[in-house]
Amino acid sequence: MIHIDGSYGEGGGQILRTSVALSAVTGEAVHITDIRSNRPKPGLSAQHVKAIETAALICGATVEGVSIGSTNITFSPQEVRGGYYTIDIGTAGSIALLLQCIMPAAAYSDTDIELNIIGGTDVSWAPSIDYLENVTLKALSKMGYRCEIDTRKRGYYPRGGGVVHATISPSEPEPHDFTEETGDILGISHCSNLPEHVAKRQADSAKDIIGKAGYDCHIITECAEYPSTGSGITLYCGMKGAYVPGKRGLPAEKVGSRAAAELLDELSNRSSVDVHLADQLIPYMGLAKGGSFTVREISSHTTTNIWVTEQFLDVKFKIQKKGNMMEILAI
Ligand SMILES: Nc1ncnc2c1ncn2[C@@H]1O[C@H](COP(=O)(O)OP(=O)(O)OP(=O)(O)O)[C@@H](O)[C@H]1O
């Protein structure tokens, strides 16, 4: 059994998700202690419990200590099984983060895994569903990963109620050397149960800033009446993205301009991936035992994910400076 100190590095939810994911892939049981000790409310929250339970469901794992507030769990997996699973997170807990915990192992199933997930699609401190689809999954497809996402309803904080259908097909991760991709900036600006001009103003202010920086951009707007109320914008270009959720009291123009500034910051150097994608690629590069990318800076999520991945897999990551960027290679 592998022991993981959950307080290592970033000490948040990601150590837990990556540990459970790689335990499910390798079949090695894992005991995780001091879970989320660097967060104001340590231990498992509802969305972490749901992620572990879903991982357990798809690989027939027995678990111990999986309840809200728990700081210690044991996860003992068996074989990953294909099939159709319905998962209700019950809150606006992030569907993208639940998938982060499931996706590595799901690729090792003998048949497709179909998931119908109810929860949050556009919430804070997590990738938006549009980021997952247009940045993360696009990058992973270059490594042979196969997952289709269909967002049927968006879910915003606090009610959630978003519905996403994900189909993951069997595949083996392959090494890929990511290089800078240029092109037009694309985006999706959306709102639910709010006047249509909210989505439009978010998009217009982003377009204005992006245009002044000399890029062409195409941002679609979406206005709907879903069970929850909210707004947000995701912009992307190549393997880089920026997501900003709307917030009561935050003008729609600010939401759009923040997303534009964030993406332009990522595009201002020749790196191949953005700071968030960098941490998300690590477990797949570990499984592929190879590949590389450049990024403008290394986050503590990335160094923490490297550490966790090295605990489970026979792989080493090398970090080196490359001009004004950092390069990460899996060996
Ligand atoms: N705006 C964003 N765009 C893309 N990805 C994001 C964004 N914000 C956060 N992420 C990703 O979401 C993940 C969050 O990991 P983290 O450990 O903070 O998880 P968490 O479970 O939300 O943390 P905790 O619950 O401990 O507060 C990381 O993979 C990070 O790259």
Side-chain angles (χ1 to χ4, degrees):
M1 180 171 315
I2 293 179
H3 172 243
I4 294 290
D5 172 2
S7 71
Y8 184 91
E10 177 66 21
Q14 196 193 44
I15 296 190
L16 178 79
R17 285 190 297 274
T18 305
S19 300
V20 166
L22 293 179
S23 163
V25 171
T26 57
E28 277 273 353
V30 63
H31 179 53
I32 314 171
T33 52
D34 280 323
I35 292 170
R36 295 182 69 246
S37 67
N38 290 350
R39 296 293 187 256
K41 241 182 156 184
L44 302 179
S45 76
Q47 60 139 320
H48 303 109
V49 168
K50 221 32 174 195
I52 300 165
E53 285 175 354
T54 308
L57 198 63
I58 69 160
C59 69
T62 47
V63 295
E64 284 164 43
V66 181
S67 58
I68 292 175
S70 168
T71 54
N72 276 281
I73 68 151
T74 305
F75 185 90
S76 310
Q78 293 176 31
E79 292 268 291
V80 181
R81 290 179 300 216
Y84 183 91
Y85 302 90
T86 291
I87 316 294
D88 187 354
I89 299 176
T91 62
S94 167
I95 292 175
L97 289 187
L98 184 133
L99 280 167
Q100 205 176 66
C101 187
I102 309 309
M103 280 174 33
Y108 288 85
S109 162
D110 48 351
T111 56
D112 282 3
I113 289 192
E114 278 184 66
L115 296 150
N116 192 52
I117 315 168
I118 304 160
T121 57
D122 295 86
V123 293
S124 297
W125 317 114
S128 65
I129 203 71
D130 300 316
Y131 181 99
L132 177 74
E133 184 173 3
N134 297 295
V135 182
T136 313
L137 290 177
K138 207 160 68 185
L140 290 179
S141 72
K142 291 177 186 287
M143 299 177 70
Y145 194 86
R146 296 193 293 149
C147 174
E148 296 290 329
I149 292 275
D150 179 15
T151 302
R152 296 179 177 173
K153 282 183 198 167
R154 290 185 187 272
Y156 302 89
Y157 181 80
R159 270 192 74 180
V163 180
V164 171
H165 195 268
T167 306
I168 301 162
S169 304
S171 65
E172 276 277 333
E174 298 154 11
H176 181 78
D177 295 318
F178 288 91
T179 51
E180 186 195 20
E181 284 186 24
T182 51
D184 293 353
I185 292 175
L186 305 177
I188 304 170
S189 175
H190 49 86
C191 64
S192 163
N193 300 314
L194 294 170
E196 214 171 332
H197 63 74
V198 172
K200 188 167 178 320
R201 282 162 51 217
Q202 290 175 167
D204 286 348
S205 76
K207 277 183 201 163
D208 187 42
I209 291 175
I210 291 168
K212 283 181 184 144
Y215 288 89
D216 282 330
C217 80
H218 311 276
I219 303 175
I220 56 168
T221 54
E222 220 186 85
C223 190
E225 287 174 12
Y226 294 130
S228 56
T229 298
S231 80
I233 184 167
T234 301
L235 303 172
Y236 50 95
C237 177
M239 301 298 119
K240 295 175 177 180
Y243 158 61
V244 175
K247 217 165 55 183
R248 198 190 287 261
L250 182 66
E253 287 74 15
K254 275 252 161 68
V255 176
S257 61
R258 275 187 196 170
E262 232 178 76
L263 186 61
L264 289 173
D265 195 24
E266 291 289 354
L267 295 176
S268 67
N269 61 73
R270 310 221 38 211
S271 59
S272 50
V273 311
D274 74 45
V275 168
H276 294 298
L277 182 60
D279 77 64
Q280 297 169 26
L281 288 177
I282 297 297
Y284 298 90
M285 288 167 68
L287 290 166
K289 295 201 168 30
S292 64
F293 62 75
T294 50
V295 63
R296 69 180 163 84
E297 72 181 33
I298 309 261
S299 68
S300 74
H301 276 101
T302 299
T303 48
T304 306
N305 239 7
I306 286 177
W307 177 78
V308 182
T309 302
E310 287 179 346
Q311 306 307 302
F312 282 89
L313 304 173
D314 183 20
V315 67
K316 285 278 165 239
F317 288 87
K318 192 171 162 190
I319 304 179
Q320 59 194 26
K321 207 161 165 34
K322 195 170 184 183
N324 62 349
M325 305 175 290
M326 299 303 289
E327 183 175 41
I328 296 192
L329 304 100
I331 300 157

